[in-house]
Structures are given as structure tokens and as C-alpha cells.
Amino acid sequence: MSETAAVVVAAGRGIRVGGGTPKQYRRVGGKAVLTRTLEALARHPGLARIQVVIAPDAAAFYGECLGDLAPGHAAKLLPPVEGGATRQLSVRAGLEALAGAGAPSLVLVHDAARPFVDAALIDRAVAAARAHRAAVPGIPVTDTIKRIDPQGLVVETPPREALRAVQTPQAFAFAPLLDAHRSAAAQGLDGFTDDGALAEWAGLPVALFEGDVRNRKITQAADLDEADRAFGGAAASDDAAAPASLASGASMTLVTRLGTGFDVHAFTEGDHVWLGGVRIPADRGVLAHSDGDVVLHALTDAILGALADGDIGVHFPPSDPRWRGASSDQFLADAVARVAARGGVIDHLDVTVLCEQPRIGPHREAIRARIAEVAGVPVSAVSIKATTTEKLGFVGRAEGLAAQAAATIRLP
């Protein structure tokens, strides 16, 4: 059957969030996490069927999820199947159920606890499955990673440029993935924690496609609270229901707003500059009260402009000694939090750097990744460009550098 189906793994206990209800059935914005995830998948026109895998004792929880689904979304759902003692066994149960109902050509395997999956990420997953037959979404690793021995001593610091944090949905040609699961089961192996690793074990080449930093997995109680705020509800950690208007699926109109920002700093003695949260070696530094990151300063002002909420100097005055030498990512994070506090979302961030030196090209992707991480948007929503001024003005004379930015947001 030439179609794409999805397996949603919802059989876990989710105990790290606390409370007596598994995390996939806790409510965010008036609906269960699993309901949010299923709606995100079901509304995508490229997915024909969805196979949910649940715990043996979760039928009542799952029934409540179905009752909260938006009209029409249940039509793609197959009857749920019971999972096993490990994630690998649960995924296999879902794949076997799909095979019994008429095997699809492609399958996406997705965690129930990732309700922020969007259409663009699903598009990339399906395209990657068609192109590579086995592919996983990944995002750049921004923290330094250490490998330790059993005694807790560091034995290796792998270069993070070659590392990616892997998410779901993971995407595969259906038949090879099912064969890999059956082969692992025949050899008594059931501990693979993701299907990409199982595919690697089976000898399948696994490609990586661009993930989404917003596609975070709910793991801790704080994640539930954050998700609840994002979906516009009451405090999820208290298991409280959202207002009736939200629980019933009432929609809220979001209006698009555009803000712009500009920042400039003169060069001074030094050996590096900060641009977009990335430390870049340079012949000189910049004269600034904070770290002088013109990219993050311009972006912060652009977001504040879209909010009509003053500028960076209003919220972080240079006269305040707290901000002397401060990292500018906290300024951007504050502006992003102000968008979220007003129920808004950030759609796109665009920056142009004006400088003769340093060269931006070698650092472009690292800058995009860092901005995306701080702003909580996918890398695809961040644009970084650079230009000179043809030797004109202070930029042309290499006396300093500047950045101009635009931010597109949506507010209720």
C-alpha cells in the first residue's frame, strides 16, 4: 500500500513528572499531551493512518483522549494495541498491527510526549524516508559533552560539531524497519531506545534531517508547566483543567506583527567578538557595556518592537552594573519570554550583519543554531546574512560593526 502511516508510542509510565497519571495523559491547555500529539499528526494530509500503542491498563485514559480530539481527527486512528515492557517491544507491536491492516510504504515512529511536532517537521520526515529509507531528526548540540568511565572520571570530550541530539518522528521504509524489529526479537534483543539505533544495528544506513528545537519531549514536571502555558491552559503540574472555552476547543485569533532592531558597536582592543551567541576569534574586540553582541541586541530590539514593549535599554539599562559584561543571550531570552507571556509565538527571525571583518560565513550555522536554541524556534526560522558597505562609512573603514534585524511574531 503506497501511503505513510505513523506509530505513536504511548505505552510508557512517565513517572519522572510525578503524580499518579502518566505524563502522556496529563492535561496541557485543557487536553491530554497525547491528544495534542495525535491532533498534530492527524491534521497532516500526508499521514493516512495512525497506530497508537498504549499500556495494557490505559484503556480508560486513552478513551478520554479520544473524547477530547478535535472533530474529524479520530478518523485516521486505528484501534490501539497494547505495548510491551520496553519501547522497542511497543514499537514492534505497532508495526505488526499496521502490517496486519495492510502495510504502508513508509512509517513515522513518534513519541506520545512530543506534542509540539508541526507540519514542517513531518514534511521533512516523510521526504527523508523517501530519499534515504531510514532517517532521524536531529538538532545541534550546544553544550559540551563529556564521556565518563564507571568511576565518574572524564575519558573523552567529543567535538560537538559532529554531535546531534535526536528526536522523533523518525522515518523509515516500513518493510525494512519491521524486518529489523523481527530480527532483533529473534536474537532476544529488546533494549534499543530508538528506532534509529535499531536500524543501525540491522545494517541500514541512517540519514539525519533537520529537527526542531521546539519539538521538545515532556519529561519533567517543569516541562508540563511550560507546555501548558504554550497551549494556553492552567498549571499542568496541578493536573488542573483549562477554562471551559479552551477545553472545548475554542480557537483564538492571532495577529501577525513585525518589529525591527538595529545595534552598532565600535572596535577596541581584544581577540574576539560575540555574534549571535557565538564567540568568534578576531583581531579586535568591541567596546560595549555587556558582551557587545550586535546580533542578539538587534534581535532583542526587533522582538520588543513587535511587542511595542520599549527597547533593550529600557529593560537592561547600561547604567545598571548587573549587565556589565553580561551574556546577551539572556536579553534575547527575556524578550522571547515576553512573547510567550502574552500568548504569542515567534514565526521568523532575520538578521543582517554589516562588517568588513570578521567573516560570518564559517560561523553562520553555529549562529543560527544558537539563536534557535535561545528563542525556542527551529533553525529554519532563523536567517543570518552578512554584507559590507563597499568601504563607505565607519563599517567600511573597519571602525566597528553593526546588525539590523526583523522579527515576525503572532499575538492574540
Side-chain angles (χ1 to χ4, degrees):
M1 185 178 297
S2 180
E3 65 176 20
T4 302
V7 170
V8 177
V9 190
R13 298 297 177 183
I15 58 176
R16 279 181 288 178
V17 300
T21 302
K23 64 185 178 184
Q24 62 269 36
Y25 300 113
R26 299 283 285 273
R27 288 182 172 264
V28 290
K31 294 185 178 183
V33 171
L34 176 57
T35 302
R36 297 289 184 186
T37 300
L38 293 178
E39 287 180 342
L41 295 172
R43 72 170 63 101
H44 193 282
L47 296 181
R49 292 178 289 157
I50 300 172
Q51 178 63 67
V52 184
V53 185
I54 64 175
D57 58 355
F61 284 133
Y62 185 69
E64 292 179 9
C65 289
L66 292 184
D68 286 338
L69 279 175
H73 287 168
K76 290 186 177 182
L77 299 183
L78 298 172
V81 295
E82 292 185 359
T86 68
R87 185 185 189 278
Q88 179 188 329
L89 295 175
S90 294
V91 173
R92 184 187 171 190
L95 296 174
E96 296 286 6
L98 281 175
S105 57
L106 303 176
V107 64
L108 307 186
V109 181
H110 189 58
D111 296 327
R114 291 189 188 268
F116 295 103
V117 60
D118 65 9
L121 181 57
I122 296 171
D123 285 342
R124 293 198 294 275
V126 173
R130 288 175 178 156
H132 304 288
R133 296 175 62 78
V136 298
I139 58 175
V141 174
T142 56
D143 292 328
T144 297
I145 304 298
K146 303 288 186 182
R147 189 171 66 84
I148 61 174
D149 64 15
Q151 288 72 45
L153 298 177
V154 173
V155 296
E156 182 186 8
T157 303
R160 63 187 181 188
E161 292 79 8
L163 299 176
R164 294 294 183 270
V166 173
Q167 307 174 316
T168 68
Q170 299 185 358
F172 305 90
F174 180 82
L177 181 63
L178 180 56
D179 288 344
H181 271 272
R182 289 172 174 172
S183 296
Q187 297 187 37
L189 302 175
D190 62 9
F192 289 99
T193 56
D194 84 314
D195 294 276
L198 177 61
E200 294 170 44
W201 169 83
L204 301 175
V206 179
L208 187 134
F209 61 94
E210 182 183 335
D212 186 340
V213 293
R214 293 180 298 184
N215 179 37
R216 55 196 179 275
K217 186 177 183 180
I218 292 176
T219 305
Q220 309 289 347
D223 301 327
L224 278 170
D225 290 335
E226 185 178 351
D228 190 73
R229 287 191 294 269
F231 285 113
S237 59
D238 296 329
D239 269 348
S245 60
L246 290 173
S248 63
S251 62
M252 180 181 293
T253 300
L254 296 179
V255 178
T256 298
R257 299 175 70 166
L258 173 68
T260 62
F262 180 82
D263 193 53
V264 57
H265 284 293
F267 285 130
T268 187
E269 293 182 358
D271 61 0
H272 71 277
V273 297
W274 285 93
L275 290 176
V278 175
R279 189 181 190 274
I280 299 176
D283 294 336
R284 288 175 290 176
V286 296
L287 186 64
H289 183 69
S290 63
D291 63 6
D293 191 323
V294 293
V295 170
L296 296 189
H297 292 181
L299 274 175
T300 300
D301 269 350
I303 294 174
L304 292 173
L307 289 169
D309 191 8
D311 58 28
I312 194 170
V314 171
H315 300 286
F316 304 97
S319 58
D320 190 332
R322 288 182 299 168
W323 311 124
R324 181 173 299 280
S327 175
S328 296
D329 54 6
Q330 61 188 304
F331 305 155
L332 178 60
D334 181 82
V336 171
R338 291 173 184 274
V339 175
R342 290 175 56 176
V345 294
I346 296 174
D347 283 331
H348 192 69
L349 300 173
D350 180 45
V351 184
T352 300
V353 183
L354 297 89
C355 64
E356 295 291 335
Q357 291 291 335
R359 292 182 59 82
I360 304 302
H363 310 283
R364 188 189 314 273
E365 295 310 311
I367 292 172
R368 293 178 69 209
R370 180 57 182 156
I371 291 172
E373 179 188 27
V374 176
V377 300
V379 175
S380 58
V382 179
S383 171
I384 299 294
K385 309 180 299 299
T387 187
T388 68
T389 58
E390 300 294 337
K391 304 298 182 180
L392 300 175
F394 74 91
V395 171
R397 294 190 297 271
E399 296 172 357
L401 75 171
Q404 58 186 26
T408 306
I409 70 173
R410 283 176 290 151
L411 290 179

